[in-house]
Amino acid sequence: MLPRVINYLPPDITHDISHAIIRAGIAGVLRIGMDYPAEVFGIRFRNPLGLGAGIDKDGLLINGLARSGVGFVTIGSVTLKPRRGNPRPRIVKYPGLKAMVNAMGLPSRGFADFITRLGKVVDLASRFGVRVIVSLAGFSLEEFLVMLSRLRGFGIDAVEVNISSPTYRGSWLNDINRLGDLLRAIEGFDKPLFIKVPLGAGVDFYRWITEAAERYGYGLTIANTLPIKEPRISVGYGGLSGYPIYPLVRALIRKVRTWGFGGPIIGIGGVFHGWQVAELLKSGANLVGVVTAFAFEGPIVFTRLLREFYAYLSQ
Ligand SMILES: Cc1cc2nc3c(=O)[nH]c(=O)nc-3n(C[C@H](O)[C@H](O)[C@H](O)COP(=O)(O)O)c2cc1C
């Protein structure tokens, strides 16, 4: 297990240390001899818990992640061209609140590099029964289309379309026509698509995107981080993640279900305990993602969450 003291060191440094440990496969996990299968878009997940986008942006950590007991891993967000992301500091942790703000700025080695190891990522994941979701980030419709066309033929299980990172500064969210063009243009991709929605948007936006997802047969990933100001981050703003956003995420999932959305939902935001996994599933999610708890605890977090989740179910 990564020592807890790591959360009190400068976050940009601990981020790098954690990556090195996971990549080397040093962070071991305990095996749990139980499954709780979920079926999404006709695909069987051995359990509904998985890693959300942002931890393994380039598909470099699969060695450790495949062994972590999860039902799925989300790789990315990957961008078409290589990006350095924002200058450091770009992460601030609030350990007492189980929260953090990040403005990574969508750093990526770029799609051409990513695709060279995607086959290996899929092979390794499938050996351990882990489903692979690829998260794409694009700054234009064309960028998304190029990446989607090059993903064909790889044995990935789904694609998540990230239109909601604070890094976009609202460029997808403030122009419904442009976003509508994107959602229409990606229809017909040969694998299930999830649209990742933001936190903090207006009810009209959520209604609109829910209807669009229903119409095109897409799933929804609810939700990305909540954009806020943070002067300690180099660019002065970032996305809040972790425990404080959990009630917002749960409420949004419930709302979308009361509107009659029938497609799959990945619920993600502030999950730190097994009961939250159960609660999000009860609220209407089909799968549950985790990022900030992973950033605080490392891959062992999945063993703990699954244990707690199974214990909760058998109460
Ligand atoms: C350091 C960090 C990097 C992230 N990078 C991405 C990303 O590249 N693409 C994306 O769609 N979401 C990204 N996210 C958002 C997470 O996937 C997730 O939606 C959000 O953090 C809420 O879940 P959590 O509270 O479990 O972290 C990132 C979050 C964090 C903390």
Side-chain angles (χ1 to χ4, degrees):
M1 190 187 340
L2 299 178
R4 295 287 154 86
V5 69
I6 206 165
N7 292 315
Y8 294 87
L9 297 171
D12 288 290
I13 293 173
T14 59
H15 182 84
D16 295 345
I17 296 172
S18 310
H19 267 228
I21 293 170
I22 299 161
R23 214 167 145 175
I26 296 167
V29 291
L30 304 172
R31 300 238 133 246
I32 294 184
M34 182 172 166
D35 277 349
Y36 184 83
E39 197 173 300
V40 173
F41 282 123
I43 303 166
R44 186 183 184 275
F45 289 65
R46 75 170 188 216
N47 66 60
L49 187 68
L51 180 70
I55 296 287
D56 190 7
K57 287 177 183 277
D58 297 293
L60 295 165
L61 307 181
I62 194 66
N63 195 24
L65 295 176
R67 296 169 165 85
S68 66
V70 282
F72 70 98
V73 292
T74 312
I75 310 291
S77 295
V78 60
T79 58
L80 182 61
K81 296 177 196 143
R83 288 171 55 86
R84 297 173 69 87
N86 290 324
R88 297 172 185 220
R90 50 191 188 180
I91 302 175
V92 171
K93 277 188 180 167
Y94 312 115
L97 295 175
K98 296 182 183 163
M100 59 200 273
V101 175
N102 90 86
M104 299 296 286
L106 293 171
S108 171
R109 294 186 176 208
F111 197 79
D113 174 82
F114 171 75
I115 210 99
T116 61
R117 74 183 78 79
L118 185 56
K120 192 181 141 214
V121 167
V122 170
D123 279 356
L124 198 58
S126 74
R127 271 219 323 263
F128 288 89
V130 177
R131 299 293 182 183
V132 175
I133 300 175
V134 172
S135 165
L136 301 179
F139 294 85
S140 68
L141 191 156
E142 290 72 27
E143 286 190 358
F144 276 114
L145 290 182
V146 169
M147 290 188 283
L148 281 173
S149 71
R150 293 192 197 156
L151 279 178
R152 283 181 196 270
F154 286 94
I156 61 170
D157 296 290
V159 169
E160 192 171 82
V161 179
N162 172 11
I163 43 99
S164 48
S165 278
T167 299
Y168 291 124
R169 307 238 71 185
S171 65
W172 286 111
L173 307 176
N174 296 336
D175 188 344
I176 289 293
N177 292 330
R178 186 164 170 263
L179 184 53
D181 288 345
L182 173 66
L183 297 183
R184 197 171 317 113
I186 60 181
E187 196 190 9
F189 181 64
D190 65 347
K191 289 283 161 61
L193 295 177
F194 286 88
I195 311 300
K196 187 155 183 184
V197 304
L199 279 184
V203 73
D204 290 347
F205 174 83
Y206 290 123
R207 266 203 176 268
W208 177 87
I209 197 130
T210 300
E211 281 167 24
E214 185 81 47
R215 190 163 59 248
Y216 293 119
Y218 304 151
L220 292 173
T221 302
I222 301 175
N224 216 314
T225 54
L226 180 68
I228 60 164
K229 288 186 180 160
E230 173 45 86
R232 285 175 289 172
I233 283 186
S234 64
V235 291
Y237 68 90
L240 177 69
S241 64
Y243 211 56
I245 68 169
Y246 176 73
L248 305 177
V249 167
R250 186 186 51 197
L252 187 54
I253 294 170
R254 285 181 181 158
K255 182 56 81 184
V256 161
R257 287 300 186 205
T258 63
W259 288 335
F261 181 67
I265 293 177
I266 302 175
I268 175 165
V271 171
F272 277 77
H273 303 289
W275 63 263
Q276 293 175 294
V277 178
E279 194 177 67
L280 285 191
L281 295 177
K282 210 169 145 214
S283 301
N286 304 87
L287 300 171
V288 174
V290 167
V291 170
T292 298
F294 183 99
F296 277 97
E297 295 180 38
I300 194 78
V301 74
F302 292 123
T303 313
R304 179 177 67 75
L305 284 172
L306 286 170
R307 277 230 175 90
E308 289 177 10
F309 173 56
Y310 294 145
Y312 184 90
L313 291 180
S314 59
Q315 269 172 21

